[in-house]
Amino acid sequence: MPDDVLRLTDVGLYCPAGDFYIDPWQPVARAVITHAHSDHARPGSAAYLATREGERVLRTRLGVEAHIETLTYGEAVSINGVDVSFHPAGHILGSAQVRVAYRGEVWVVSGDYKTEPDATCTPFEPVHCHTFITESTFGLPIYRWSPQESVLAQINEWWRRNQQAGRASILYAYALGKAQRLLAGLDAAIGPIFIHGALVRLTEDYRASGVSLPPVRYVGEAPRGFDWSQALILAPPSAHGTPWMRRFGVVSTGFASGWMRIRGTRRRRAIDRGFVLSDHADWPGLLAAIDATGAERVWVTHGYAAVLVRWLQEHGRDAAAVQTRFEGEAGDG
Amino acid sequence: MYTFAQLYAALDETTKTSTKVEALTRYFECAEPADAAWAIFFLIGRRVRQAAPLPTLRAWAVDAAGIPDWLFGECYDAVGDFAETVTLLLPEPGEWSVEVDRSVLPFKGQQPLHRWVEEVLIPLRTQDEVKQCAIVRAVWATLGGTERFVWNKLITGTFRVGVSQQLVVRALARVSNADPPAIAHRLMGEWQPTAAFYQGLLAPETTDADVSRPYPFCLAHPLDDPPETLGSIDEWQAEWKWDGIRSQVIRRAGQTFLWSRGEELITDRFPEIAAIGALLPDGVVIDGEVLPWKNGAVLPFAQLQRRIGRKNLTKAVLDEAPSALLAYDLLELNGIDVRDQPLEWRRAELERLIATCAPGSQALLISPVVAAVDWDDLAAQWATSRTRNVEGLMLKRRSSPYHVGRVRGDWWKWKVAPYTIDAVLVYAQRGSGKRASLYTDYTFAVWDGDRLMPFAKAYSGLTDEEILQVDAFVRRNTVEKFGPVRTVTPELVFELAFEGIQRSSRHKSGIAVRFPRILRWRHDKRPADADTLERVRALLPKD
């Protein structure tokens, strides 16, 4: 389809009229970035365009010397006659949907998105368009999220019960986004909160970007022989089962992820508690978001693309699956 | 139901035995007796008969969830468990957009487990399909989260949580003054899960008078080290490890009962063994092996299988495949439990009993002791096992009591065929040629934690009659179809044999086996008794 505003190439989603890529998976001259997760923001491109809200975390990921230009949400810029603007995706701090308009045709690339608001990023806003390119990480009707207040309440309750039993609480979460969202939702009155080294810089970035988070300490700052039984320790999932864990003594482990909706996923990881908390839209969220765009055509990327496409087609929509290299909420964190 | 679901969640979230026993103890401390009885019933793996076939349940779930059937298939694929898929697909109570008539349930809202089981689950079988559908929908719209999951597990007969009977017994002993062996004993045989049963279960004294009740079987550990590591051979009694059905024959109050290790009453299947009961005095329980036995020798196990799946035993079958009980041990004498006596004493009494009551009987014989001067001598005899139609040797410490369950140290099984595994049938596919219309190609799985991991395919080994039975089972118990492959309810256990085993990165189980075949259908085993992936891996050649 030569007339398409965007098309899929070996390098990523490309806008021929504007000569730029969106979240390319190889270095290019000009990359428009939806958010800072590593499957969307890859280093090496000559110039990046991203949101102002997400600039700090993006720079942490891409390196100090990366050339990054920013726009606020809703602010439009013209690239070779193509209008480009960012609109909140509600996924992590600074995450955006990219709206691309050319000769009256409007396309929106969702990146990753979540329809439920949270305290650490600007809430998702539907954008009217002709063609919507949506993710489908949790594109099965078994994925339906409980309101985050109830999940956060479960986590705080788990922490309290662990304290009573004299166990340290180790909570695994993806280092960028999920970890900070959890921090914002933890009840700091319960006890001290510690973070794994991999979370330190990103958490500082969140604070510096104006997100209010409770006080935390780096695990390595605790004195020898520290009593961890009252603490909650936030860590990336890759820390599970490593020697790093030994210092904590008796522990209960928890993992906050949308994949925890399925019992077998938690059991395979040998984690005590799974908390179903995702930074992606659930099935009703995906369907509602697609509806709200009023799009005539839907392209479905990473996740359960085939399933969502078939569902959309059966409901009278023009839908197709598009093979990208995005990974969604990685099973390993 | 709520507290039972909480118990399930607590057991499910830990792999630590002590934490599980604590959770069970907390539950039994607070549960009302009628609930506790049902909880035990389900925890130790007993089931109520399935009310509706899975395809029917699936149709109801698809309808209630408002999705097409193909989408259910996609979801099932992602989840891997039927009960869980249904649980996750349906709206939580209070979120149903369609009208649900909850008045078909006998009660409203929160109710204890026993009411759900006795007033909803069990009567469900007797309803017509329209009523069943209405009831199941009402339950789905009433129970949410873990409660709904547990209900779906119960209704599909797939309830399983990682606790052994031993752990349940340990917790019950903690909340009562009863001895663990007494509790284990009272859980044997047939019983109704009622409040009265539960109270009797925890009673300090045995006041119950169930004459048919067997004792828990003493089980052996496989011997992995060379036998000389067991010390002096004089401390050990060696017997052939027979390949039959481990059973107890009970003679009490003028009645005879024959129980299999799978806790099935099989008295009717073996009339010649039942008949010898009349020769025994009252108050006798003998542990032994039911074998196909003719002209003083054991026949291949397949001969015994002809006796198992059959309601009517014709004279021809009885003549061709006569059976005998080879007695190992004496558990009760003169109505007194003698399991604490040393094996030497029990063996002497057993020999005297059989010589007195059934001399020359071809249906009750004593399992001979294999005499050997030293371990080398014994090993030489052990090596002849295959030609004798036995699986190897049993080594039992002469001073040992008759333990409850599998206790390490006193009983060892020293098998000659290292490569046999009990596995569960999980997938079936149609055969080719003359078997093209039948499901004859099977995939078998072993336990990986609490999930079944497929690890071998096998085609041959069953008799034509058994193939028909398995085929009928597959058709009735299909959970899911992927092209030609049917996923079936994991229920049937088979003993597989194979010639070699290797690591494999191409198989999800991480192992590949050579020439796998079905040795026999283990009617006496339940899925929970199947082997673990760990045990299969233990057979891998050492690096």
Side-chain angles (χ1 to χ4, degrees):
Chain A
M1 283 179 273
D3 292 341
D4 281 346
V5 175
L6 294 175
R7 66 172 182 238
L8 189 70
T9 70
D10 290 345
V11 181
L13 283 167
Y14 178 61
C15 175
D19 189 24
F20 61 85
Y21 288 84
I22 299 175
D23 293 352
W25 40 85
Q26 278 172 32
V28 297
R30 181 176 276 280
V32 177
I33 298 298
T34 60
H35 65 288
H37 278 150
S38 55
D39 55 328
H40 291 264
R42 297 173 197 252
S45 288
Y48 293 92
L49 183 65
T51 65
R52 189 152 303 155
E53 196 175 77
E55 185 181 0
R56 273 175 196 277
V57 286
L58 185 63
R59 194 168 288 289
T60 294
R61 283 292 168 96
L62 296 179
V64 279
E65 67 286 355
H67 179 76
I68 303 173
E69 289 170 39
T70 63
L71 295 175
T72 56
Y73 288 124
E75 182 187 351
V77 69
S78 174
I79 306 176
N80 302 325
V82 178
D83 284 337
V84 176
S85 56
F86 291 115
H87 304 269
H91 176 59
I92 61 167
L93 180 65
S95 66
Q97 309 173 72
V98 180
R99 180 183 185 274
V100 182
Y102 183 59
R103 293 184 180 162
E105 272 290 301
V106 180
W107 288 49
V108 169
V109 179
S110 77
D112 291 338
Y113 64 99
K114 166 169 67 48
T115 49
E116 187 189 22
D118 80 76
T120 58
C121 61
T122 308
F124 176 86
E125 280 173 21
V127 183
H128 237 72
C129 58
H130 299 103
T131 300
F132 186 48
I133 303 180
T134 181
E135 63 137 323
S136 62
T137 307
F138 290 104
L140 286 176
I142 47 172
Y143 294 111
R144 285 178 289 122
W145 312 146
S146 302
Q148 67 173 351
E149 297 76 54
S150 75
V151 182
L152 292 168
Q154 285 169 23
I155 295 173
N156 285 321
E157 181 54 31
W158 165 74
W159 183 10
R160 278 191 208 98
R161 277 180 42 198
N162 289 338
Q163 286 185 331
Q164 284 157 17
R167 291 187 294 249
S169 306
I170 301 187
L171 182 59
Y172 299 113
Y174 194 75
L176 170 55
K178 184 73 62 63
Q180 292 75 26
R181 181 179 170 199
L182 286 167
L183 279 178
L186 288 171
D187 181 355
I190 297 174
I193 303 171
F194 285 84
I195 57 174
H196 184 276
L199 271 55
V200 172
R201 178 70 192 272
L202 291 163
T203 303
E204 280 170 13
D205 287 339
Y206 261 63
R207 265 192 235 282
S209 304
V211 178
S212 164
L213 297 175
V216 296
R217 286 158 72 189
Y218 166 48
V219 165
E221 288 171 8
R224 285 184 77 85
F226 184 78
D227 172 15
W228 294 98
S229 69
Q230 303 303 298
L232 183 139
I233 302 108
L234 208 54
S238 54
H240 186 47
T242 63
W244 173 83
M245 285 179 67
R246 280 186 210 141
R247 69 189 81 190
F248 303 114
V250 185
V251 300
S252 176
T253 53
F255 187 22
S257 163
W259 301 116
M260 292 297 112
R261 175 90 168 142
I262 295 180
R263 181 173 165 262
T265 324
R266 172 176 62 78
R267 303 273 307 179
R268 268 196 296 282
R269 287 173 164 275
I271 290 202
D272 299 323
R273 279 292 296 272
F275 299 104
V276 187
L277 190 77
S278 177
D279 292 340
H280 293 263
D282 59 1
W283 173 260
L286 288 169
L287 298 185
I290 291 167
D291 257 356
T293 62
E296 295 154 6
R297 179 164 59 169
V298 182
W299 282 6
V300 184
T301 65
H302 57 302
Y304 286 97
V307 173
L308 187 54
V309 164
R310 183 167 173 190
W311 172 274
L312 292 170
Q313 287 172 343
E314 287 185 1
H315 286 74
R317 280 191 189 273
D318 177 1
V322 185
Q323 280 300 318
T324 60
R325 297 195 194 166
F326 308 132
E327 289 155 12
E329 184 157 328
D332 294 318
Chain B
M1 191 66 147
Y2 179 73
T3 50
F4 185 61
Q6 292 296 105
L7 170 65
Y8 175 86
L11 295 173
D12 190 47
E13 83 177 44
T14 181
T15 50
K16 290 191 196 77
T17 307
S18 57
T19 314
K20 287 181 180 179
V21 175
E22 277 163 32
L24 288 164
T25 307
R26 270 200 308 277
Y27 176 81
F28 289 122
E29 273 167 355
C30 305
E32 56 177 301
D35 264 19
W38 278 110
I40 295 166
F41 182 87
F42 292 122
L43 287 168
I44 68 173
R46 298 200 178 193
R47 292 164 188 184
V48 299
R49 276 184 66 186
Q50 197 175 329
L54 290 183
T56 308
L57 281 170
R58 173 169 170 158
W60 297 342
V62 158
D63 182 59
I67 58 166
D69 188 72
W70 66 264
L71 191 49
F72 183 97
E74 295 283 354
C75 293
Y76 176 76
D77 224 14
V79 177
D81 180 280
F82 181 87
E84 189 181 354
T85 307
V86 172
T87 306
L88 297 178
L89 270 175
L90 297 174
E92 286 293 303
E95 290 174 7
W96 286 56
S97 51
V98 290
E99 200 66 26
V100 180
D101 178 12
R102 291 180 178 79
S103 71
V104 294
L105 296 178
F107 43 63
K108 279 184 185 161
Q110 276 296 329
Q111 292 296 332
L113 174 66
H114 75 274
R115 292 202 68 187
W116 282 103
V117 177
E118 291 166 10
E119 297 175 42
V120 185
L121 183 62
I122 292 173
L124 197 59
R125 283 190 58 239
T126 61
Q127 314 282 354
D128 63 51
E129 203 177 307
V130 176
K131 189 78 189 289
Q132 283 184 336
C133 175
I135 292 171
V136 170
R137 271 176 89 100
V139 177
W140 283 336
T142 305
L143 299 177
T146 313
E147 284 178 277
R148 182 193 287 164
F149 177 66
V150 168
W151 162 267
N152 286 338
K153 283 284 180 186
L154 295 181
I155 195 179
T156 53
T158 54
F159 182 84
R160 187 176 191 276
V161 64
V163 291
S164 61
Q165 178 157 335
Q166 250 178 346
L167 294 192
V168 175
V169 167
R170 210 187 292 174
L172 289 170
R174 275 203 201 173
V175 298
S176 68
N177 293 318
D179 269 351
I183 295 172
H185 189 191
R186 290 168 189 167
L187 285 175
M188 299 288 287
E190 279 181 35
W191 47 267
Q192 292 303 314
T194 60
F197 168 78
Y198 181 70
Q199 279 144 359
L201 185 66
L202 301 189
E205 300 295 325
T206 304
T207 52
D208 37 77
D210 177 4
V211 294
S212 77
R213 179 178 296 158
Y215 290 98
F217 285 84
C218 176
L219 305 174
H221 269 279
L223 182 69
D224 297 324
D225 298 322
E228 43 282 17
T229 57
L230 298 177
S232 163
I233 195 169
D234 297 336
E235 289 173 27
W236 296 88
Q237 172 179 313
E239 293 166 52
W240 297 117
K241 184 174 185 332
W242 301 103
D243 183 16
I245 302 170
R246 181 81 184 277
S247 302
Q248 274 176 44
V249 63
I250 293 170
R251 180 70 181 178
R252 289 185 192 128
Q255 292 172 271
T256 305
F257 306 92
L258 186 65
W259 287 96
S260 76
R261 214 206 105 192
E263 287 183 51
E264 239 184 302
L265 205 48
I266 52 172
T267 326
D268 299 344
R269 311 281 168 85
F270 300 98
E272 58 275 65
I273 297 173
I276 56 168
L279 306 173
L280 297 170
D282 264 343
V284 162
V285 178
I286 293 171
D287 176 20
E289 192 95 359
V290 172
L291 291 170
W293 190 266
K294 200 171 184 180
N295 304 326
V298 65
L299 302 172
F301 186 82
Q303 292 295 328
L304 203 54
Q305 271 163 330
R306 303 178 59 194
R307 302 281 297 266
I308 298 169
R310 209 175 268 241
K311 278 260 150 62
N312 294 317
L313 290 169
T314 60
K315 190 167 179 308
V317 172
L318 287 173
D319 285 347
E320 282 168 34
S323 66
L325 183 82
L326 261 75
Y328 298 138
D329 215 322
L330 185 64
L331 314 186
E332 185 175 309
L333 183 64
N334 300 324
I336 295 164
D337 178 353
V338 295
R339 291 176 297 161
D340 281 340
Q341 297 287 340
L343 172 62
E344 258 171 333
W345 183 92
R346 301 196 309 271
R347 173 82 193 186
E349 290 298 322
L350 179 67
E351 285 175 4
R352 187 173 312 144
L353 182 73
I354 292 177
T356 320
C357 301
S361 166
Q362 280 301 297
L364 176 63
L365 304 108
I366 194 147
S367 174
V369 166
V370 179
V373 291
D374 54 28
W375 290 116
D376 285 346
D377 180 15
L378 192 63
Q381 300 190 61
W382 170 81
T384 67
S385 295
R386 275 197 207 268
T387 59
R388 293 171 184 271
N389 268 332
V390 297
E391 296 180 312
L393 287 168
M394 290 295 303
L395 302 174
K396 301 174 183 173
R397 197 185 291 277
R398 291 184 191 278
S399 59
S400 64
Y402 188 90
H403 290 290
V404 169
R406 210 180 294 280
V407 176
R408 230 184 151 74
D410 284 342
W411 279 33
W412 299 96
K413 49 184 175 190
W414 183 18
K415 288 171 103 171
V416 278
Y419 302 134
T420 65
I421 285 291
D422 289 333
V424 185
L425 175 67
V426 287
Y427 308 129
Q429 209 173 335
R430 282 174 208 267
S432 51
K434 83 169 188 178
R435 291 163 159 186
S437 63
L438 293 170
Y439 285 92
T440 57
D441 299 0
Y442 311 126
T443 301
F444 296 94
V446 287
W447 292 106
D448 179 17
D450 72 337
R451 291 173 81 85
L452 283 165
M453 172 65 73
F455 88 108
K457 282 185 166 194
Y459 311 95
S460 62
L462 296 179
T463 64
D464 287 352
E465 199 178 312
E466 286 174 325
I467 287 173
L468 288 176
Q469 289 174 18
V470 175
D471 177 75
F473 170 85
V474 169
R475 286 165 201 276
R476 275 198 320 273
N477 293 278
T478 299
V479 182
E480 177 74 333
K481 293 178 201 170
F482 299 108
V485 182
R486 289 186 177 218
T487 304
V488 300
T489 317
E491 212 174 293
L492 306 186
V493 179
F494 296 83
E495 184 175 353
L496 306 185
F498 42 91
E499 294 305 317
I501 178 165
Q502 284 181 319
R503 277 170 236 279
S504 161
S505 54
R506 287 191 307 116
H507 294 82
K508 201 177 169 195
S509 61
I511 46 174
V513 294
R514 188 166 157 79
F515 298 137
R517 61 203 180 270
I518 302 169
L519 268 193
R520 57 177 158 140
W521 187 345
R522 295 297 307 246
H523 292 274
D524 58 328
K525 295 209 171 184
R526 287 178 293 205
D529 300 320
D531 282 304
T532 60
L533 188 58
E534 203 181 330
R535 154 114 171 76
V536 180
R537 286 205 184 109
L539 301 175
L540 283 166
K542 306 275 181 290
D543 286 334

